[in-house]
Amino acid sequence: MKYIFAILLLGFFLPLDAQTISGYVYDEPENKPLEGASVYLDGTTLSSTTDARGFFRITAPQKYNAALVVSFIGFETLRVEDPFSYCKPFKVLLREESTRLDEVVVTKKKGPFSRRQLLGAFREEFLGRSRAGRSCTIENEDDITLWYDVDDNTLYAVAAKPIRIVNKRLQYKVVFELAGFNVKYRAQSLSEYDVLGNYFAGTTFYTDTAKNKKKAAKVRSEAYLGSPTHLVRTIVAGDWEKQKFRFYTGSFPDNPHDYFGVSDTLDLKKVRLLKMPPEGSKKAGVFAINPKKEEGKFSGVSFNILYDKKQQSAISFKMGTFYVDANGLFFPLNELTFSGHMASLKAGDLLPVDYRHGESP
């Protein structure tokens, strides 16, 4: 989906604290307020709905490195990057949708699999095969268009409307606006054993549905522990042993503090690789691809990670430097690639950005 938007700072001032975002949502053609527009911080449980004036306000406990998403039926979804940088209420102009998804996809030829088969593969690769992933149901599967390209053995999906997910295990309702999805197979297949790689992206909003707070805290903790977010926070904090992570160069345990340098930069932590793995580690499973000139010397370097003596993963790098915010979100997103257990975690395993491990819902 293409995001088109305009933002106008209003000519008056309202005192706002550093954790408040406010503004007005208008339709671009008529320049009239839109009542009932949905406004939320991507990946969080923080949201608002516009009133008769088109006004919204979101108060967050802290700043988040997350986009503000604005949507309204019949209009193109809008993303406002770094919304906390606006010190005044701002005006958002939404543009009417001009292209229907079904008009885009009808040209795709019929593939070798039925819709039922494609939908089953989509559920597994999008929601995941974990207990949380299997507990999820999609309320509006009819809004999802799927096709299989026999030329490159790839499953694709687009959605006419945001996907509504009920995550029974983690006790969230999730609105997922799908921006991209594909799964590439080594042969003409939908088997998980033939998957070469998959990709999905989009914006998310979470509604907490927990009735049993204690049970919800337990299962959410299980989803968090050993996840990429948990690992990234551990790299920044440096408390590997406390967090039950073990770091390996190949099959040999090593000291992660010798490899990661962490420094402050603005409101972020900058993490950079300090050195290459030792010679001979390629045979043990840590490798370094000969980088292209435009890439860093750490391109392709990876390390093995073991969580709690049982969950095996690996992490590899593109340039050797990334940034982490206070919530454990890292960027650029393509800097880190995960494999093993961490790569198996899908949309059904994701927690909101504002989730705090150890705190009750």
Side-chain angles (χ1 to χ4, degrees):
M1 180 176 290
K2 187 176 180 180
Y3 298 104
I4 303 177
F5 62 89
I7 303 174
L8 303 175
L9 289 178
L10 300 184
F12 58 89
F13 176 77
L14 290 177
L16 301 175
D17 61 43
Q19 287 77 43
T20 300
I21 306 168
S22 68
Y24 296 82
V25 180
Y26 277 56
D27 73 282
E28 187 182 53
E30 302 291 333
N31 195 31
K32 294 181 179 179
L34 291 175
E35 181 179 5
S38 174
V39 186
Y40 61 89
L41 281 172
D42 184 18
T44 74
T45 59
L46 303 171
S47 70
S48 179
T49 303
T50 55
D51 61 19
R53 301 173 297 156
F55 180 76
F56 69 88
R57 180 191 296 272
I58 295 177
T59 301
Q62 64 183 69
K63 290 184 179 180
Y64 292 94
N65 183 36
L68 186 75
V69 181
V70 185
S71 63
F72 192 78
I73 296 175
F75 290 79
E76 295 185 354
T77 299
L78 173 154
R79 284 176 61 93
V80 181
E81 303 296 338
D82 195 14
F84 289 99
S85 65
Y86 295 95
C87 60
K88 300 179 180 180
F90 51 86
K91 182 177 179 180
V92 176
L93 299 178
L94 292 187
R95 183 174 297 179
E96 292 181 341
E97 286 185 329
S98 57
T99 305
R100 291 176 54 87
L101 282 173
D102 54 3
E103 294 174 352
V104 176
V105 183
V106 288
T107 59
K108 299 295 179 182
K109 58 184 178 181
K110 183 176 177 59
F113 303 106
S114 67
R115 173 171 172 80
R116 182 178 179 179
Q117 291 173 310
L118 295 177
L119 196 54
F122 172 80
R123 292 192 196 105
E124 289 191 341
E125 297 301 329
F126 177 60
L127 298 173
R129 301 176 180 86
S130 67
R131 291 182 66 183
R134 295 195 307 271
S135 79
C136 292
T137 56
I138 298 174
E139 295 183 322
N140 59 327
E141 289 183 339
D142 289 344
D143 291 325
I144 302 171
T145 300
L146 301 143
W147 72 95
Y148 190 95
D149 192 325
V150 296
D151 295 328
D152 59 4
N153 296 320
T154 302
L155 169 63
Y156 294 93
V158 293
K161 297 178 182 178
I163 299 174
R164 302 192 306 273
I165 303 167
V166 177
N167 192 323
K168 296 178 183 177
R169 179 167 175 78
L170 299 184
Q171 299 182 52
Y172 288 113
K173 283 189 176 181
V174 186
V175 176
F176 197 111
E177 184 144 355
L178 194 67
F181 175 90
N182 65 73
V183 184
K184 187 169 181 60
Y185 298 86
R186 69 179 76 253
Q188 193 174 109
S189 166
L190 290 176
S191 170
E192 63 178 286
Y193 303 107
D194 288 324
V195 173
L196 290 175
N198 58 18
Y199 163 83
F200 66 87
T203 61
T204 53
F205 173 69
Y206 293 78
T207 300
D208 193 333
T209 60
K211 295 181 180 179
N212 186 327
K213 303 297 184 182
K214 185 176 181 180
K215 181 179 179 181
K218 181 178 183 295
V219 295
R220 292 171 186 178
S221 175
E222 292 171 355
Y224 168 78
L225 294 174
S227 68
T229 301
H230 185 199
L231 175 62
V232 169
R233 289 177 178 174
T234 299
I235 293 174
V236 170
D239 55 349
W240 290 74
E241 185 175 351
K242 178 182 178 181
Q243 299 301 325
K244 300 183 179 180
F245 278 111
R246 290 188 178 181
F247 177 84
Y248 292 79
T249 50
S251 58
F252 301 99
D254 212 329
N255 185 358
H257 302 289
D258 293 339
Y259 291 88
F260 296 101
V262 181
S263 58
D264 293 312
T265 172
L266 298 177
D267 295 327
L268 305 169
K269 296 289 186 180
K270 180 180 180 180
V271 181
R272 61 187 181 90
L273 285 181
L274 300 177
K275 66 176 186 178
M276 298 286 286
E279 290 293 331
S281 60
K282 180 178 180 180
K283 295 181 180 179
V286 176
F287 58 91
I289 302 171
N290 292 327
K292 299 179 181 178
K293 290 183 178 180
E294 65 271 18
E295 295 180 338
K297 70 175 183 178
F298 294 108
S299 176
V301 170
S302 75
F303 301 96
N304 292 323
I305 305 293
L306 183 66
Y307 173 71
D308 200 20
K309 301 181 181 180
K310 55 188 176 184
Q311 294 178 355
Q312 298 184 25
S313 303
I315 181 172
S316 59
F317 303 83
K318 182 178 181 181
M319 300 295 289
T321 300
F322 60 97
Y323 299 86
V324 184
D325 70 7
N327 304 292
L329 294 178
F330 69 87
F331 63 93
L333 292 177
N334 63 351
E335 171 59 27
L336 303 181
T337 301
F338 302 93
S339 58
H341 170 75
M342 293 185 188
S344 71
L345 303 177
K346 309 296 183 183
D349 303 287
L350 296 178
L351 293 164
V353 172
D354 49 332
Y355 167 77
R356 289 291 175 270
H357 182 247
E359 296 181 2
S360 298

